[in-house]
Amino acid sequence: MNSLPWLITTKKKLPVVIARCLIPLGQGRPGDYGMVFPILFRVLFLGKPITVYGDGTQTRSFTHVKDVVKGLIKLMEEPKAEGDVFNVGNDHEISIKDLAMKVKEMTKSPSQIEFIPL
């Protein structure tokens, strides 16, 4: 059996929509999955250095969980979405380096940013 969901839906004609949620953030979101924001805030408030792997140019796109839910509801209500795969998220990307600097500035933290080779 093929493990690629978009091929299964197309070949088997299953009445499903596949949504890939791109880094949803919001109140109550657990931070125990190696997520960038909880880790950043944890080290900043503890006064520890911010660790950025590589040169920090890798990017992420964050979306508020309410917007993800709105997108999922729209997909469920759209008959033409059936059998297809969608990314549900924000198309604005930010580098990890810029994110670390922005959060550091907003929290007025004295923590230093340390770049660690991959």
Side-chain angles (χ1 to χ4, degrees):
M1 179 175 191
N2 194 324
S3 63
L4 301 174
W6 56 89
L7 291 178
I8 292 171
T9 58
T10 332
K11 288 185 178 183
K12 301 287 184 182
K13 308 245 187 262
L14 297 175
V16 298
V17 176
I18 297 172
R20 296 181 342 166
C21 300
L22 306 177
I23 313 181
L25 295 175
Q27 186 176 2
R29 172 84 175 157
D32 52 356
Y33 299 109
M35 293 179 59
V36 174
F37 267 100
I39 292 170
L40 270 177
F41 282 106
R42 190 175 306 123
V43 298
L44 286 171
F45 287 120
L46 293 174
K48 294 182 177 180
I50 302 165
T51 301
V52 174
Y53 294 97
D55 62 3
T57 58
Q58 63 273 37
T59 61
R60 299 292 182 270
S61 176
F62 302 98
T63 309
H64 194 277
V65 69
K66 288 181 181 180
D67 294 327
V68 171
V69 171
K70 288 176 190 174
L72 293 174
I73 290 170
K74 285 183 179 182
L75 285 174
M76 288 188 298
E77 294 173 341
E78 177 54 63
K80 293 178 185 174
E82 188 175 297
D84 215 339
V85 180
F86 297 87
N87 289 334
V88 178
N90 179 354
D91 61 357
H92 175 76
E93 294 182 38
I94 186 169
S95 73
I96 298 300
K97 177 183 172 183
D98 289 345
L99 177 65
M101 291 184 341
K102 185 175 276 194
V103 172
K104 175 180 158 56
E105 179 184 311
M106 290 174 68
T107 60
K108 296 180 176 42
S109 172
S111 294
Q112 297 300 310
I113 299 175
E114 294 181 352
F115 294 90
I116 307 293
L118 289 171

